Amino acid sequence: MRVLICYGTTEGQTRKIAEFVADIVREKGHEAALFDASDVSALEPSRCQAAILAGSVHMGRYQGALVHHIRDWHERLNGMPSAFISVSLAAAGDDPHGRAEIDETAQKMLRDSGWLPKATLHAAGALRFTQYDFFKRWIMRAIARQHQSDVDVHSDTEYTDWDDVRVFVEDFLAKLPTEGDDEKKAG
Ligand SMILES: Cc1cc2nc3c(=O)[nH]c(=O)nc-3n(C[C@H](O)[C@H](O)[C@H](O)COP(=O)(O)O)c2cc1C
């Protein structure tokens, strides 16, 4: 089966997650069509039989290019097994208010786009203080302290729970219809 993996990223963590997802897809014997949403040649979902899309939250929003594709593709995505991975800092914390807020951010984007993924994962992202410019560092100090009590604002920290991502993707792939299912339907 050909699985579309399309991601939006600003500082690179969601690309790393999408590459990890693509590796799992290949390990399980499928073809992975991996695309950055900002790449104009982003593949049409109609050439794939399943899709996993991922984007990260910045100031309560996902990457515009990703949201644009989701709106454009929602009918085709709704016609195949699909899943969404939302990457954020809020997902790294255990504050129920922060988690509810990030879930509402995802649900609102999905409602507005018309896409109904079968499953959504909130994956913890990363803080890359060594790469932020002055403005981002200033914003992120405030956001990070809101979500995490033990933030080192002088170094990079990866919060992504790779086992969580693996379990989510393997579960999604395990539920994909097989050729035998098609034959059963036809017969
Ligand atoms: C300027 C900026 C704004 C952010 N805003 C939010 C936010 O509103 N909520 C949140 O949970 N995380 C927020 N984050 C954390 C990012 O979602 C996190 O760093 C993620 O790993 C970024 O993924 P990316 O590297 O794929 O862009 C923000 C990060 C930056 C740098």
Side-chain angles (χ1 to χ4, degrees), residues 166-187:
R166 174 173 282 281
V167 167
F168 178 80
V169 175
E170 287 185 350
D171 186 52
F172 174 77
L173 296 173
K175 289 177 183 152
L176 291 181
T178 59
E179 279 170 33
D181 292 341
D182 287 346
E183 278 161 26
K184 266 184 239 157
K185 267 190 214 160

Side-chain angles (χ1 to χ4, degrees), residues 4-8 51-55 66 69-70 73 77 82-86 115:
L4 172 70
I5 302 157
C6 182
Y7 62 90
I52 301 174
L53 273 56
L66 179 75
H69 287 315
I70 291 175
W73 295 342
L77 290 172
S82 65
F84 179 48
I85 300 178
S86 167
W115 179 31

Side-chain angles (χ1 to χ4, degrees), residues 8-15 56-60 63 87-91 102 125-127 132 136 139-140 143 147:
T9 189
T10 307
E11 283 95 30
Q13 188 65 15
T14 311
R15 177 181 304 113
S56 64
V57 180
H58 285 74
M59 307 302 285
Q63 285 76 20
V87 178
S88 68
L89 191 61
I102 210 71
L127 288 174
Y132 298 154
K136 272 192 187 175
I139 293 176
M140 283 318 292
I143 293 180
H147 294 298

